[in-house]
Amino acid sequence: MLSEVLLVSAPGKVILHGEHAVVHGKVALAVALNLRTFLRLQPHSNGRVGLNLPNIGVRRAWDVASLQLLDTSFLGHGDSAALTAKHVEKLKEVAGFPKDCVDPEHLAVLAFLYLYLSICQSQRVLPSLDITVWSELPTGAGLGSSAAYSVCLAAALLTACEEIPNPLKDGEAAGRWTEENLELINKWAFQGERVIHGNPSGVDNAVSTWGGALRYQQGKISSLKRPPVLKILLINTKVPRSTKVLVANVRSRLLKFPEIVAPLLTSIDAISLECERVLGEMAAAPTPEHYLTLEELIDMNQHHLNALGVGHASLDQLCQVTTAHGLHSKLTGAGGGGCGITLLRPDSRRRNVCREPGTGLVPPISLPAKLSTSLRNNQGIVTIYHHRHHYQPCIPAVTS
């Protein structure tokens, strides 16, 4: 069992194209953001396991001896593919939560319990430790905050239980796990996502694990070859929504209108493939024609997503405001509010868009996030030297 403090960090993500369609086996293109989640794991010997999530006001602790007595046979033994809805209901009993709890705070605790009990059951005695997780990512905004949380938990617990080695070497500011270890981290993180979202596609945790710009389809992940540096404006509508509910609604619409919705999903898939082709061409020499095509794809995809029922008045307003400035926008993530992205041409000015009078579009996140190959900005899960490094921000005030 690990005896030292462990600090890990994973990025959020932006989906360029493929939202919702990716759940049904289509292609999604996604890029890691330079906004990150951080986790600090402190081993100790006080017989307690603690979870502190200052961003959402959660602080919980359990007696390790009591957890040790629980019947956790329903979790399986080292099988990261075994999670079912019945397991989640059992976890709610363990946590003392009501069966109908669906708020982010309860679901974050359930994801932690699942990963802690499943990964650490290989130990003779469940470990005593404190975990604090804090983030630069807003929750419920479509930026992969839950995936970054699950990836951090999986990486930290697997390392603490010595299922994977700590890759940090003396004198280094950060360390990356091997491809084989990243695969294991990703598999467990996906289970954490299933606890939170029910039926996620897996793209969010994949981007958070590997970083960079990825093509994702049915669990198959490949890096985009030399993606161009794109500037986007990331705007948070501040409208909360549930990914789980939105994904379920699209599935219901598909079952109700298969001959209408299935072609929409196929068309979104074609948009993703065309975007991938254009980005490949732009790597050598971006042209105004390339940007025009990307803008057309953004407009078409946004209309398709509205047809799937995952739009929102706030996102329509965003599109109207940016269109008035000659820009093109779409939702990113599950929709229903959350965040939208606006493609900025190299000569675009973003200030006037953010401060449009009467729109309310002065968001808590409004920054040009460069979607580039810069490892400093969009590296995947890393472990960090916890005394001095360039990743770590201040931890928010701890709730008591």
Side-chain angles (χ1 to χ4, degrees):
M1 177 66 195
L2 187 75
S3 60
E4 300 176 343
V5 171
L6 178 68
L7 184 65
V8 301
S9 173
K13 67 89 180 67
V14 161
I15 292 183
L16 299 179
H17 292 290
E19 295 94 341
H20 290 285
V22 69
V23 178
H24 302 277
K26 309 302 184 184
V27 170
L29 304 180
V31 183
L33 280 173
N34 54 345
L35 298 173
R36 305 183 69 90
T37 291
F38 301 83
L39 181 151
R40 184 180 188 272
L41 185 151
Q42 172 70 67
H44 51 65
S45 56
N46 66 357
R48 305 275 286 173
V49 57
L51 176 67
N52 182 35
L53 310 176
N55 288 89
I56 58 174
V58 169
R59 189 179 183 93
R60 295 290 301 263
W62 297 267
D63 183 71
V64 169
S66 297
L67 292 177
Q68 195 80 44
L69 296 175
L70 293 173
D71 178 10
T72 57
S73 58
F74 70 94
L75 295 174
H77 296 281
D79 183 2
S80 63
L83 183 68
T84 68
K86 290 183 179 180
H87 295 160
V88 176
E89 295 307 311
K90 184 69 174 177
L91 282 171
K92 290 179 181 179
E93 292 180 22
V94 170
F97 292 163
K99 290 185 177 181
D100 59 349
C101 68
V102 293
D103 57 277
E105 295 80 8
H106 282 112
L107 294 175
V109 173
L110 291 177
F112 166 75
L113 280 175
Y114 174 78
L115 293 173
Y116 172 76
L117 293 172
S118 298
I119 293 172
C120 298
Q121 68 179 332
S122 62
Q123 305 293 298
R124 185 175 60 84
V125 177
L126 290 173
S128 298
L129 49 85
D130 279 319
I131 284 181
T132 298
V133 185
W134 67 103
S135 186
E136 299 167 337
L137 296 160
T139 58
L143 301 182
S145 60
S146 66
Y149 170 71
S150 295
V151 168
C152 282
L153 283 176
L157 291 170
L158 287 166
T159 303
C161 293
E162 299 181 332
E163 296 292 326
I164 58 176
N166 186 341
L168 188 64
K169 294 180 172 57
D170 289 342
E172 293 184 348
R176 285 279 285 167
W177 283 273
T178 64
E179 188 68 19
E180 181 181 2
N181 291 335
L182 289 174
E183 291 278 2
L184 185 60
I185 291 169
N186 188 54
K187 286 180 180 179
W188 279 112
F190 181 60
Q191 301 309 311
E193 280 280 84
R194 291 181 68 189
V195 172
I196 295 170
H197 293 306
N199 185 36
S201 67
V203 63
D204 288 16
N205 48 278
V207 176
S208 193
T209 299
W210 277 278
L214 300 179
R215 180 190 199 271
Y216 183 95
Q217 184 178 26
Q218 294 182 317
K220 296 180 180 179
I221 306 157
S222 58
S223 296
L224 297 185
K225 305 302 181 184
R226 297 189 304 139
V229 175
L230 297 178
K231 289 197 298 183
I232 64 164
L233 181 67
L234 185 60
I235 298 180
N236 190 349
T237 68
K238 299 191 282 186
V239 175
R241 80 291 184 280
S242 167
T243 297
K244 187 174 185 177
V245 170
L246 289 160
V247 169
N249 288 347
V250 172
R251 183 174 295 277
S252 296
R253 185 166 288 198
L254 174 61
L255 293 174
K256 186 176 182 179
F257 305 110
E259 294 184 357
I260 299 171
V261 176
L264 284 173
L265 299 175
T266 300
S267 183
I268 292 174
D269 187 54
I271 289 171
S272 297
L273 294 175
E274 178 65 8
C275 180
E276 182 181 17
R277 184 192 69 78
V278 173
L279 292 177
E281 288 185 358
M282 292 176 71
T287 66
E289 288 73 22
H290 287 136
Y291 277 94
L292 179 61
T293 300
L294 291 180
E295 289 166 350
E296 290 179 311
L297 295 175
I298 286 172
D299 292 342
M300 287 189 289
N301 200 355
Q302 179 62 19
H303 288 305
H304 283 21
L305 290 165
N306 277 329
L308 291 178
V310 297
H312 189 271
S314 63
L315 293 163
D316 292 339
Q317 184 184 31
L318 167 62
C319 292
Q320 291 166 6
V321 170
T322 54
T323 297
H325 289 270
L327 301 172
H328 300 259
S329 305
K330 65 177 286 291
L331 65 86
T332 185
C339 281
I341 56 172
T342 302
L343 178 64
L344 300 178
R345 292 199 179 202
D347 57 349
S348 294
R349 295 178 63 187
R350 69 186 180 93
R351 181 182 60 183
N352 291 336
V353 178
C354 295
R355 299 286 174 177
E356 180 73 13
T359 65
L361 294 178
V362 184
I365 289 183
S366 176
L367 63 149
K370 289 187 177 180
L371 307 187
S372 69
T373 55
S374 168
L375 291 180
R376 178 164 181 173
N377 283 341
N378 34 15
Q379 196 168 12
I381 182 72
V382 294
T383 180
I384 307 165
Y385 179 55
H386 64 272
H387 291 298
R388 186 179 180 183
H389 53 80
H390 67 271
Y391 282 101
Q392 186 179 13
C394 294
I395 304 177
V398 177
T399 58
S400 57

